[in-house]
Amino acid sequence: DGMATRLLLWCTLVGAFGGIRRISRMTTGCRTPILVRNAVFGGSFPNNYNDVVRRSSGAIQKMIEDDKRFIEVEFPVTGLSAVPGDGEGAGEMTLSAEYILEILKSVERMGKTIRIFFPDEQEAKRQKNKFAGLANVRVDFLTRPSALGDLGLDPFKVNMVDRIKDDDELFVIAYPSFNPNEMIQVRELAESDAMERPIVVINGELDRIRSGYYPGFFYPRLIGAMKDFLPQFDQALYLHNFKGNRGGALLREYPGDYTVFTRDSLGTTITKVHSQAEMPTLKEVSLEILPKFYS
């Protein structure tokens, strides 16, 4: 009985917060990005979003040329010192879609036919006109909305093998972070593609899965699907900020190292302090690496 009560309480909370996020996602508000002025030692921190777009598209192209199949691009959209959630939900998605559009304008020059999957059917319809000007880009979706999606259930499941065509050459997944089913669908896409075409996940907030945000007890399908899937992803351009008086950032641009920066209290000066070849966990950066440079 105690376990049943806890499960009911968890489902209620998840449903409540999921509903709030869904409502915010469907509104049209948008916050203008705040660009950070940087005095950079090492010269590798992005100067602005034009820089982010240019470097993201360049890194994606390099990884495709190097036969990398699973590619991750992650960066905050409301400011170069921001974190996901700083802005209003739909506004963040609108900004993310605009940056993805600019990235694909460059990637499209490779001559590849690109199929972009948005999180759900409604979001794909909302963004379709925006991408209509890209002749080699096809707009698609991962899921059909359901109130049960927040619990990892998918009563209106989309069969990914039915969504793809033989002449698709590159799959791009746009911000699959709304409910657990979205990344489960990405794995199904990978497994159903006999041609093993590259998959680029952009702003999927994969760190939430890596860091244990979703408890395995309540999300066994997600955790089971991601356990050996997420480690296959390599980062093209990755920027994660750490807030607080002793904050900073973790940055990687393929094929370079993972670099840690400290940031002053005003957020105007960011300094390169550490780099390593392997991707550190966010916990390692916040609790082990950054504190050494603030002591």
Side-chain angles (χ1 to χ4, degrees):
D1 290 344
M3 178 60 71
T5 301
R6 288 195 295 272
L7 178 60
L8 178 61
L9 177 60
W10 176 263
C11 293
T12 302
L13 290 172
V14 168
F17 285 111
I20 291 170
R21 191 172 179 185
R22 183 179 297 276
I23 291 169
S24 69
R25 176 175 177 162
M26 298 308 170
T27 59
T28 58
C30 178
R31 195 170 86 181
T32 302
I34 299 171
L35 303 183
V36 182
R37 298 188 305 274
N38 304 307
V40 182
F41 296 90
S44 59
F45 198 86
N47 295 312
N48 50 48
Y49 277 100
N50 288 335
D51 200 15
V52 170
V53 166
R54 177 183 60 80
R55 292 163 68 172
S56 295
S57 58
I60 290 170
Q61 292 176 61
K62 287 178 186 175
M63 294 182 77
I64 293 173
E65 290 166 359
D66 289 345
D67 294 324
K68 301 287 186 180
R69 188 182 179 200
F70 300 109
I71 301 169
E72 177 184 4
V73 174
E74 185 74 36
F75 56 87
V77 297
T78 56
L80 294 182
S81 60
V83 297
D86 277 358
E88 182 270 335
E92 287 198 351
M93 289 193 305
T94 298
L95 287 170
S96 196
E98 290 172 357
Y99 294 134
I100 292 171
L101 174 64
E102 296 305 315
I103 290 170
L104 293 192
K105 285 180 181 178
S106 179
V107 174
E108 189 188 35
R109 297 190 192 110
M110 297 180 72
K112 293 185 177 294
T113 300
I114 302 167
R115 184 172 296 273
I116 179 170
F117 291 91
F118 286 93
D120 59 47
E121 189 173 17
Q122 187 168 351
E123 181 67 7
K125 290 177 180 177
R126 192 169 79 94
Q127 300 294 348
K128 188 169 185 176
N129 288 340
K130 182 177 294 182
F131 288 79
L134 300 183
N136 293 330
V137 174
R138 300 161 174 176
V139 174
D140 216 316
F141 58 90
L142 296 171
T143 68
R144 292 186 174 92
S146 165
L148 299 176
D150 297 316
L151 300 177
L153 304 177
D154 196 357
F156 308 112
K157 188 179 184 309
V158 175
N159 291 319
M160 298 307 293
V161 70
D162 297 331
R163 309 303 306 179
I164 59 179
K165 306 298 181 185
D166 287 346
D167 59 345
D168 293 334
E169 296 175 279
L170 172 64
F171 301 126
V172 173
I173 317 297
Y175 41 90
S177 60
F178 181 49
N179 76 50
N181 289 324
E182 293 161 6
M183 279 305 297
I184 292 174
Q185 288 291 90
V186 175
R187 170 153 190 168
E188 182 180 310
L189 170 65
E191 292 178 340
S192 62
D193 179 23
M195 298 170 65
E196 298 187 346
R197 288 160 282 195
I199 296 175
V200 183
V201 174
I202 303 180
N203 288 345
E205 297 183 38
L206 303 185
D207 285 323
R208 295 203 302 174
I209 303 174
R210 294 187 186 106
S211 64
Y213 175 86
Y214 295 102
F217 179 80
F218 295 106
Y219 297 93
R221 288 184 64 238
L222 175 69
I223 302 307
M226 294 300 105
K227 185 176 180 180
D228 59 355
F229 183 53
L230 283 193
Q232 298 181 62
F233 278 85
D234 201 356
Q235 291 67 42
L237 185 113
Y238 174 93
L239 173 59
H240 182 96
N241 287 299
F242 299 83
K243 290 196 165 186
N245 293 332
R246 298 186 172 188
L250 174 63
L251 174 73
R252 196 272 178 120
E253 179 182 356
Y254 180 88
D257 286 349
Y258 295 84
T259 303
V260 177
F261 297 82
T262 56
R263 181 179 280 112
D264 73 343
S265 59
L266 297 177
T268 57
T269 303
I270 185 162
T271 307
K272 178 179 173 181
V273 294
H274 174 85
S275 65
Q276 61 185 66
E278 298 297 321
M279 184 182 189
T281 66
L282 300 185
K283 185 176 181 180
E284 287 171 339
V285 176
S286 61
L287 297 182
E288 299 175 21
I289 299 174
L290 280 174
K292 292 191 296 186
F293 299 96
Y294 285 106
S295 57

